[in-house]
CSV table of all heavy atoms in Angstrom, one decimal:
chain,number,residue,atom,x,y,z
A,13,VAL,N,-6.2,-52.6,-50.0
A,13,VAL,CA,-5.6,-53.9,-49.9
A,13,VAL,C,-6.6,-55.0,-50.4
A,13,VAL,O,-7.8,-54.8,-50.2
A,13,VAL,CB,-5.0,-54.2,-48.5
A,13,VAL,CG1,-6.2,-54.3,-47.5
A,13,VAL,CG2,-4.2,-55.5,-48.5
A,14,HIS,N,-6.1,-56.0,-51.0
A,14,HIS,CA,-6.9,-57.2,-51.3
A,14,HIS,C,-6.8,-58.3,-50.3
A,14,HIS,O,-5.6,-58.6,-49.9
A,14,HIS,CB,-6.5,-57.8,-52.7
A,14,HIS,CG,-6.9,-56.8,-53.8
A,14,HIS,ND1,-7.3,-57.3,-55.0
A,14,HIS,CD2,-6.9,-55.5,-53.9
A,14,HIS,CE1,-7.5,-56.3,-55.9
A,14,HIS,NE2,-7.3,-55.2,-55.2
A,15,VAL,N,-7.9,-58.8,-49.8
A,15,VAL,CA,-7.8,-59.9,-48.8
A,15,VAL,C,-8.4,-61.1,-49.3
A,15,VAL,O,-9.5,-61.1,-49.9
A,15,VAL,CB,-8.7,-59.4,-47.5
A,15,VAL,CG1,-8.8,-60.5,-46.5
A,15,VAL,CG2,-8.0,-58.2,-46.8
A,16,GLU,N,-7.7,-62.2,-49.2
A,16,GLU,CA,-8.2,-63.5,-49.7
A,16,GLU,C,-9.0,-64.2,-48.7
A,16,GLU,O,-8.7,-64.3,-47.5
A,16,GLU,CB,-7.0,-64.4,-50.1
A,16,GLU,CG,-6.1,-63.7,-51.2
A,16,GLU,CD,-4.9,-64.5,-51.4
A,16,GLU,OE1,-4.5,-65.5,-50.6
A,16,GLU,OE2,-4.1,-64.2,-52.4
A,17,VAL,N,-10.2,-64.8,-49.2
A,17,VAL,CA,-11.1,-65.5,-48.3
A,17,VAL,C,-11.5,-66.8,-49.0
A,17,VAL,O,-11.4,-66.8,-50.3
A,17,VAL,CB,-12.3,-64.7,-48.0
A,17,VAL,CG1,-12.0,-63.4,-47.2
A,17,VAL,CG2,-13.1,-64.4,-49.2
A,18,PRO,N,-11.8,-67.8,-48.3
A,18,PRO,CA,-12.3,-69.1,-49.0
A,18,PRO,C,-13.5,-68.8,-49.9
A,18,PRO,O,-14.4,-68.0,-49.4
A,18,PRO,CB,-12.6,-70.0,-47.9
A,18,PRO,CG,-11.8,-69.5,-46.7
A,18,PRO,CD,-11.7,-68.1,-46.9
A,19,GLN,N,-13.6,-69.3,-51.0
A,19,GLN,CA,-14.7,-69.0,-52.0
A,19,GLN,C,-16.0,-69.5,-51.5
A,19,GLN,O,-17.0,-69.0,-52.0
A,19,GLN,CB,-14.4,-69.5,-53.3
A,19,GLN,CG,-14.4,-71.0,-53.5
A,19,GLN,CD,-14.1,-71.5,-54.9
A,19,GLN,OE1,-13.6,-70.8,-55.7
A,19,GLN,NE2,-14.4,-72.8,-55.2
A,20,ASN,N,-16.1,-70.4,-50.5
A,20,ASN,CA,-17.4,-70.9,-50.0
A,20,ASN,C,-17.8,-70.1,-48.8
A,20,ASN,O,-18.7,-70.6,-48.1
A,20,ASN,CB,-17.3,-72.4,-49.7
A,20,ASN,CG,-16.2,-72.8,-48.8
A,20,ASN,OD1,-15.4,-71.9,-48.4
A,20,ASN,ND2,-16.1,-74.0,-48.4
A,21,SER,N,-17.1,-69.0,-48.5
A,21,SER,CA,-17.5,-68.2,-47.3
A,21,SER,C,-18.8,-67.6,-47.4
A,21,SER,O,-19.3,-67.3,-48.5
A,21,SER,CB,-16.4,-67.1,-47.0
A,21,SER,OG,-15.1,-67.7,-46.8
A,22,ASN,N,-19.4,-67.3,-46.3
A,22,ASN,CA,-20.7,-66.6,-46.3
A,22,ASN,C,-20.4,-65.1,-46.6
A,22,ASN,O,-19.7,-64.4,-45.9
A,22,ASN,CB,-21.3,-66.7,-44.9
A,22,ASN,CG,-22.7,-66.0,-44.8
A,22,ASN,OD1,-22.8,-64.8,-45.0
A,22,ASN,ND2,-23.7,-66.8,-44.6
A,23,ILE,N,-20.9,-64.6,-47.7
A,23,ILE,CA,-20.6,-63.3,-48.2
A,23,ILE,C,-21.0,-62.2,-47.2
A,23,ILE,O,-20.3,-61.3,-47.0
A,23,ILE,CB,-21.3,-63.0,-49.6
A,23,ILE,CG1,-20.7,-64.0,-50.6
A,23,ILE,CG2,-21.1,-61.6,-50.0
A,23,ILE,CD1,-21.4,-63.8,-52.0
A,24,VAL,N,-22.1,-62.3,-46.6
A,24,VAL,CA,-22.6,-61.4,-45.7
A,24,VAL,C,-21.7,-61.3,-44.4
A,24,VAL,O,-21.3,-60.2,-44.0
A,24,VAL,CB,-24.1,-61.6,-45.2
A,24,VAL,CG1,-24.5,-60.7,-44.1
A,24,VAL,CG2,-25.0,-61.5,-46.4
A,25,LYS,N,-21.4,-62.5,-43.9
A,25,LYS,CA,-20.5,-62.5,-42.7
A,25,LYS,C,-19.1,-62.0,-43.1
A,25,LYS,O,-18.5,-61.2,-42.3
A,25,LYS,CB,-20.4,-63.9,-42.2
A,25,LYS,CG,-19.5,-64.0,-41.0
A,25,LYS,CD,-19.4,-65.5,-40.5
A,25,LYS,CE,-18.5,-65.6,-39.3
A,25,LYS,NZ,-18.4,-67.0,-38.8
A,26,CYS,N,-18.7,-62.3,-44.3
A,26,CYS,CA,-17.3,-61.9,-44.7
A,26,CYS,C,-17.3,-60.3,-44.8
A,26,CYS,O,-16.3,-59.7,-44.4
A,26,CYS,CB,-17.0,-62.5,-46.0
A,26,CYS,SG,-15.2,-62.5,-46.4
A,27,HIS,N,-18.4,-59.8,-45.3
A,27,HIS,CA,-18.5,-58.3,-45.5
A,27,HIS,C,-18.5,-57.7,-44.1
A,27,HIS,O,-17.8,-56.6,-44.0
A,27,HIS,CB,-19.7,-58.0,-46.3
A,27,HIS,CG,-19.9,-56.5,-46.6
A,27,HIS,ND1,-20.5,-55.6,-45.7
A,27,HIS,CD2,-19.4,-55.8,-47.6
A,27,HIS,CE1,-20.5,-54.4,-46.2
A,27,HIS,NE2,-19.8,-54.5,-47.3
A,28,GLU,N,-19.1,-58.2,-43.2
A,28,GLU,CA,-19.1,-57.7,-41.8
A,28,GLU,C,-17.8,-57.7,-41.2
A,28,GLU,O,-17.3,-56.7,-40.6
A,28,GLU,CB,-20.1,-58.5,-40.9
A,28,GLU,CG,-21.6,-58.3,-41.3
A,28,GLU,CD,-22.5,-59.3,-40.4
A,28,GLU,OE1,-21.9,-60.1,-39.7
A,28,GLU,OE2,-23.7,-59.1,-40.5
A,29,GLN,N,-17.0,-58.8,-41.5
A,29,GLN,CA,-15.6,-58.9,-40.9
A,29,GLN,C,-14.7,-57.8,-41.6
A,29,GLN,O,-13.9,-57.3,-40.9
A,29,GLN,CB,-15.1,-60.3,-41.2
A,29,GLN,CG,-15.8,-61.4,-40.3
A,29,GLN,CD,-15.7,-61.1,-38.8
A,29,GLN,OE1,-14.6,-61.0,-38.3
A,29,GLN,NE2,-16.8,-61.0,-38.2
A,30,ILE,N,-14.9,-57.6,-42.9
A,30,ILE,CA,-14.1,-56.6,-43.6
A,30,ILE,C,-14.4,-55.2,-43.0
A,30,ILE,O,-13.5,-54.4,-42.8
A,30,ILE,CB,-14.4,-56.6,-45.1
A,30,ILE,CG1,-13.8,-57.8,-45.7
A,30,ILE,CG2,-14.0,-55.4,-45.8
A,30,ILE,CD1,-14.0,-58.0,-47.1
A,31,ASP,N,-15.7,-54.9,-42.7
A,31,ASP,CA,-16.1,-53.6,-42.1
A,31,ASP,C,-15.4,-53.4,-40.7
A,31,ASP,O,-14.9,-52.4,-40.4
A,31,ASP,CB,-17.6,-53.5,-42.0
A,31,ASP,CG,-18.3,-53.2,-43.3
A,31,ASP,OD1,-17.5,-52.8,-44.2
A,31,ASP,OD2,-19.5,-53.3,-43.3
A,32,LEU,N,-15.4,-54.5,-40.0
A,32,LEU,CA,-14.8,-54.5,-38.6
A,32,LEU,C,-13.3,-54.3,-38.7
A,32,LEU,O,-12.7,-53.5,-38.0
A,32,LEU,CB,-15.1,-55.8,-37.9
A,32,LEU,CG,-16.5,-56.0,-37.4
A,32,LEU,CD1,-16.7,-57.4,-36.8
A,32,LEU,CD2,-16.9,-54.9,-36.3
A,33,CYS,N,-12.7,-54.9,-39.7
A,33,CYS,CA,-11.2,-54.8,-39.9
A,33,CYS,C,-10.8,-53.4,-40.3
A,33,CYS,O,-9.9,-52.9,-39.8
A,33,CYS,CB,-10.8,-55.8,-41.0
A,33,CYS,SG,-9.0,-55.9,-41.2
A,34,GLU,N,-11.6,-52.8,-41.2
A,34,GLU,CA,-11.3,-51.4,-41.6
A,34,GLU,C,-11.5,-50.5,-40.5
A,34,GLU,O,-10.6,-49.6,-40.3
A,34,GLU,CB,-12.3,-51.0,-42.7
A,34,GLU,CG,-12.1,-51.7,-44.1
A,34,GLU,CD,-13.2,-51.4,-45.1
A,34,GLU,OE1,-14.3,-50.9,-44.7
A,34,GLU,OE2,-12.9,-51.7,-46.3
A,35,LYS,N,-12.4,-50.7,-39.6
A,35,LYS,CA,-12.6,-49.8,-38.4
A,35,LYS,C,-11.5,-50.0,-37.4
A,35,LYS,O,-11.0,-49.0,-36.9
A,35,LYS,CB,-14.0,-50.2,-37.7
A,35,LYS,CG,-14.4,-49.3,-36.6
A,35,LYS,CD,-15.8,-49.6,-36.1
A,35,LYS,CE,-16.2,-48.7,-35.0
A,35,LYS,NZ,-15.5,-48.8,-33.8
A,36,LEU,N,-11.0,-51.3,-37.3
A,36,LEU,CA,-9.9,-51.6,-36.3
A,36,LEU,C,-8.6,-50.9,-36.8
A,36,LEU,O,-7.9,-50.4,-36.0
A,36,LEU,CB,-9.8,-53.1,-36.2
A,36,LEU,CG,-8.6,-53.5,-35.3
A,36,LEU,CD1,-8.9,-53.0,-33.8
A,36,LEU,CD2,-8.6,-55.1,-35.2
A,37,LEU,N,-8.4,-51.0,-38.1
A,37,LEU,CA,-7.2,-50.4,-38.7
A,37,LEU,C,-7.1,-48.9,-38.5
A,37,LEU,O,-6.1,-48.3,-38.2
A,37,LEU,CB,-7.1,-50.7,-40.2
A,37,LEU,CG,-6.7,-52.1,-40.6
A,37,LEU,CD1,-6.9,-52.4,-42.0
A,37,LEU,CD2,-5.2,-52.4,-40.2
A,38,TYR,N,-8.3,-48.3,-38.6
A,38,TYR,CA,-8.4,-46.8,-38.4
A,38,TYR,C,-8.1,-46.4,-36.9
A,38,TYR,O,-7.4,-45.5,-36.6
A,38,TYR,CB,-9.7,-46.2,-38.9
A,38,TYR,CG,-9.8,-44.8,-38.8
A,38,TYR,CD1,-9.2,-43.9,-39.7
A,38,TYR,CD2,-10.5,-44.2,-37.7
A,38,TYR,CE1,-9.3,-42.6,-39.6
A,38,TYR,CE2,-10.6,-42.8,-37.6
A,38,TYR,CZ,-10.0,-42.0,-38.5
A,38,TYR,OH,-10.0,-40.6,-38.4
A,39,GLU,N,-8.7,-47.2,-36.0
A,39,GLU,CA,-8.6,-46.9,-34.6
A,39,GLU,C,-7.2,-47.2,-34.1
A,39,GLU,O,-6.6,-46.5,-33.3
A,39,GLU,CB,-9.6,-47.7,-33.8
A,39,GLU,CG,-11.1,-47.3,-34.0
A,39,GLU,CD,-12.0,-48.3,-33.3
A,39,GLU,OE1,-11.6,-49.3,-32.9
A,39,GLU,OE2,-13.2,-47.9,-33.3
A,40,LYS,N,-6.6,-48.3,-34.7
A,40,LYS,CA,-5.3,-48.7,-34.2
A,40,LYS,C,-4.1,-47.9,-34.8
A,40,LYS,O,-3.2,-47.6,-34.1
A,40,LYS,CB,-5.1,-50.2,-34.5
A,40,LYS,CG,-3.8,-50.8,-34.0
A,40,LYS,CD,-3.8,-52.3,-34.3
A,40,LYS,CE,-2.5,-52.9,-33.9
A,40,LYS,NZ,-2.5,-54.4,-34.2
A,41,LEU,N,-4.2,-47.7,-36.1
A,41,LEU,CA,-3.1,-47.1,-36.9
A,41,LEU,C,-3.4,-45.7,-37.5
A,41,LEU,O,-2.5,-45.1,-38.1
A,41,LEU,CB,-2.7,-48.0,-38.0
A,41,LEU,CG,-2.3,-49.5,-37.6
A,41,LEU,CD1,-2.1,-50.3,-38.9
A,41,LEU,CD2,-1.1,-49.4,-36.7
A,42,ASP,N,-4.6,-45.2,-37.2
A,42,ASP,CA,-5.0,-43.9,-37.8
A,42,ASP,C,-4.9,-43.8,-39.3
A,42,ASP,O,-4.3,-42.9,-39.9
A,42,ASP,CB,-4.2,-42.8,-37.1
A,42,ASP,CG,-4.8,-41.4,-37.4
A,42,ASP,OD1,-6.0,-41.3,-37.6
A,42,ASP,OD2,-4.1,-40.4,-37.4
A,43,ILE,N,-5.3,-44.9,-40.0
A,43,ILE,CA,-5.2,-44.9,-41.4
A,43,ILE,C,-6.5,-45.5,-42.0
A,43,ILE,O,-7.1,-46.5,-41.5
A,43,ILE,CB,-4.0,-45.8,-41.8
A,43,ILE,CG1,-3.9,-45.9,-43.4
A,43,ILE,CG2,-4.1,-47.2,-41.3
A,43,ILE,CD1,-2.6,-46.6,-43.8
A,44,SER,N,-7.0,-44.8,-43.0
A,44,SER,CA,-8.3,-45.2,-43.6
A,44,SER,C,-8.0,-46.3,-44.7
A,44,SER,O,-7.2,-46.0,-45.7
A,44,SER,CB,-9.0,-44.0,-44.3
A,44,SER,OG,-9.3,-43.1,-43.3
């Protein structure tokens, strides 16, 4: 999936949030 973020976001922080989101989706819905 493509996720939209403000272009002035902190890239490192945004990447961390994406990792957390992927992990949460796997734990919650059993989907990679």
Side-chain angles (χ1 to χ4, degrees):
V13 64
H14 290 214
V15 172
E16 298 173 352
V17 299
Q19 66 179 18
N20 58 353
S21 298
N22 183 295
I23 295 179
V24 175
K25 182 181 178 182
C26 202
H27 184 269
E28 290 176 351
Q29 293 300 302
I30 286 176
D31 284 344
L32 288 174
C33 186
E34 290 174 343
K35 187 173 184 295
L36 180 60
L37 286 167
Y38 183 79
E39 293 174 349
K40 183 179 177 181
L41 304 175
D42 194 29
I43 180 170
S44 298

